[in-house]
Amino acid sequence: MIKPIELVLFDCDGVLVDSERIAARVQVALGAELGWPLTEGEVVDRFIGRSHAAIRRQVAARLGEETAAIWAQRFEQLHREAVDADLAPVDGLPEALDAIALPTCVASSGSHDKMRHTLGRTGLYDRFAGRIHSATEVAHGKPAPDLFLHAARHMGVDPAACVVVEDSLPGVLAARAAGMRAFGYAGGLTPAERLEGPGTTVFHDMRKLPALIAGQQSVLGGRDRTEG
């Protein structure tokens, strides 16, 4: 029997803060500069939702360790500059948070330093302070379940009573592997069809999230579906 929801786990980039477009733009530019031409779609497929360590391993396999180190350093610099200039919360996110009464936390592939910066710039850090978890705390990042299971343990909640809000394929795969239900936000870079699958409700408007969560509370075990 599916348990009532006790905890909502939010990814950070692309779910709380509208940073995935910035990251993709920077990765495309770095690829052109350092010898690995990439389209935005290829960046989404390879990098979005994955930890910095996993991205660095991909770059090293393609271009070597020295270039991977340069890539990582340049990404941190360029991403920080772009965040300072352009970053905003995901559209509708502050209103959604105001309407969700359940306990919440963050579980992100990003580092704590990165989240302090991005969540701080958008005024969201204090909403989650003390309940922010990073892939740097676990052995394996998304799509492995480690991060979500770690966050659930830290919050004292059974994974079966958790739901995850994600915008990437590695994120929804990690939620499924952790035995958690997922809400796949398709208002960003990842196409809706890539988020669909078992235990996952796909939606396009962050303002609808509170009602979707309430709906799962009242109709436990309902069919997976796609929302507008």
Side-chain angles (χ1 to χ4, degrees), residues 2 22 24 27 49 51 62 64 71 74 89 92 110 157 167 185 210 225:
I2 298 177
I22 292 173
Q27 297 287 22
S51 68
R62 178 82 176 219
W71 186 303
R74 293 275 292 138
V157 177
D167 71 317
Y185 175 61
R225 61 196 187 275

Side-chain angles (χ1 to χ4, degrees), residues 7-12 15 49 105-109 133-135 137-183:
L7 176 67
V8 183
L9 293 81
F10 285 92
D11 178 40
C12 183
V15 170
C105 70
V106 179
S108 171
S109 294
H133 310 281
S134 165
E137 301 167 32
V138 297
H140 304 288
K142 305 169 190 177
D146 302 31
L147 175 58
F148 291 145
L149 294 174
H150 168 74
R153 282 194 300 270
H154 190 272
M155 298 294 292
V157 177
D158 187 328
C162 296
V163 295
V164 172
V165 186
E166 267 286 355
D167 71 317
S168 73
L169 178 58
V172 294
L173 291 176
R176 292 169 199 158
M180 301 178 181
R181 288 157 282 174
F183 292 98

